Amino acid sequence: MKKQNIGARYIAIMCVFSFICLVFIIVLSMVQTKGPQTNYYIDDANTQTVTVAGLRGQIYDKNGVLLVGNSTRYDLLYEYTAMPESFKEVNASLLQIMSSIKQTDQSDKLSEDYFPIEGVFPNVRYCKALYDTSSNEYYHFLRVLKRNNLSADITAEELAQYYIDRCELSSELYSSGEIRDLMRLWYEMDRVNFGMYQSYTLAKDVSPELVTHVEEKVSSGIIVGVTFKTTSERVYNPN
């Protein structure tokens, strides 16, 4: 009787073990053929999609002379999701970026400037192009005012004061030239609807020297919030 009980227990254990192995094999087979079935939640507000252009092949003639090649282009971008939390930190980074652009003689690569204010605060005025209601300057000017809930009849001095107050551009912290540069940058960011889903392109097609200059400051923590968009362009050899 005792031997029969031992045998029954042994058979029961083997059945349970076999059943577990069978379930494991079935699950493993499903994962390998269909992939894991777990649904992961992704917070869209904290994600960013980056499109990377593929590098196309180069073309040579029968003598090995390059006919069609590739050229790398670098655009300097400021990213909303990576920017510091305080205006003081953001302003410091922006001024360092502008300093790097000037030191590497890349000022001509700055993005198109629609800043409508001329002069040095408080002696400021609107640029002449703003009085042309069909101009790009006027179109973007109205968009910026609407975005910030500002009156359409706001004066140049009032608009300058608005950015000084909002972006903490105190004359005790910054020179008149720095205040003007920062006001222009903040205005430009408003113009392009800078935010979670829209970066701001500070400069286009910049030199590798500027890339190195900025990346060194990024590595040391002097500049925060910038990145470079790298694209490949086709170059055709006329020879």
Side-chain angles (χ1 to χ4, degrees):
M1 189 71 177
K2 189 174 181 179
K3 290 183 178 181
Q4 290 180 350
N5 290 337
I6 293 175
R9 291 178 181 176
Y10 178 76
I11 293 173
I13 292 173
M14 289 300 297
C15 289
V16 172
F17 179 76
S18 299
F19 176 75
I20 293 174
C21 290
L22 179 62
V23 171
F24 178 79
I25 292 172
I26 293 173
V27 172
L28 181 61
S29 177
M30 291 176 62
V31 170
Q32 289 179 334
T33 56
K34 296 183 180 180
Q37 301 301 306
T38 305
N39 293 321
Y40 294 96
Y41 171 76
I42 299 177
D43 185 358
D44 290 335
N46 294 317
T47 62
Q48 180 182 2
T49 301
V50 178
T51 302
V52 180
L55 188 64
R56 299 170 64 183
Q58 302 187 109
I59 302 174
Y60 298 85
D61 68 6
K62 63 180 181 180
N63 298 315
V65 177
L66 181 66
L67 298 177
V68 183
N70 297 304
S71 175
T72 302
R73 167 181 169 141
Y74 303 98
D75 292 342
L76 178 58
L77 276 62
Y78 199 67
E79 298 287 352
Y80 180 87
T81 55
M83 66 189 295
E85 295 183 359
S86 71
F87 279 109
K88 183 177 181 180
E89 292 174 298
V90 176
N91 291 335
S93 288
L94 291 175
L95 287 176
Q96 286 294 331
I97 295 168
M98 293 300 295
S99 175
S100 295
I101 289 174
K102 293 173 182 176
Q103 288 180 34
T104 54
D105 297 322
Q106 295 288 286
S107 296
D108 60 323
K109 303 294 185 178
L110 287 169
S111 296
E112 194 169 9
D113 187 5
Y114 287 109
F115 189 51
I117 297 177
E118 295 179 342
V120 178
F121 186 82
N123 301 313
V124 293
R125 61 189 179 280
Y126 286 133
C127 62
K128 293 182 180 180
L130 195 64
Y131 296 99
D132 179 3
T133 57
S134 63
S135 67
N136 284 329
E137 284 85 348
Y138 185 74
Y139 168 75
H140 290 295
F141 173 71
L142 292 181
R143 287 185 58 195
V144 170
L145 294 184
K146 182 177 180 180
R147 179 178 181 179
N148 293 288
N149 297 316
L150 298 173
S151 172
D153 60 358
I154 189 172
T155 66
E157 184 176 342
E158 289 171 340
L159 181 60
Q161 188 65 60
Y162 167 76
Y163 278 101
I164 289 173
D165 294 339
R166 170 188 147 193
C167 305
E168 301 177 5
L169 306 179
S170 170
S171 58
E172 297 178 357
L173 299 176
Y174 309 104
S175 67
S176 58
E178 290 174 335
I179 291 175
R180 176 173 174 78
D181 283 344
L182 290 170
M183 278 198 297
R184 185 187 73 81
L185 292 173
W186 283 109
Y187 180 90
E188 284 284 295
M189 285 190 275
D190 281 342
R191 183 182 68 82
V192 300
N193 291 321
F194 176 69
M196 186 73 68
Y197 303 105
Q198 179 61 56
S199 58
Y200 169 51
T201 302
L202 287 128
K204 301 177 180 178
D205 195 17
V206 301
S207 67
E209 181 185 2
L210 176 60
V211 175
T212 301
H213 207 277
V214 170
E215 287 184 340
E216 288 178 352
K217 290 186 177 181
V218 171
S219 299
S220 60
I222 298 176
I223 291 179
V224 180
V226 300
T227 185
F228 286 95
K229 177 183 177 182
T230 305
T231 56
S232 179
E233 299 178 340
R234 297 297 269 176
V235 178
Y236 299 89
N237 187 350
N239 299 322

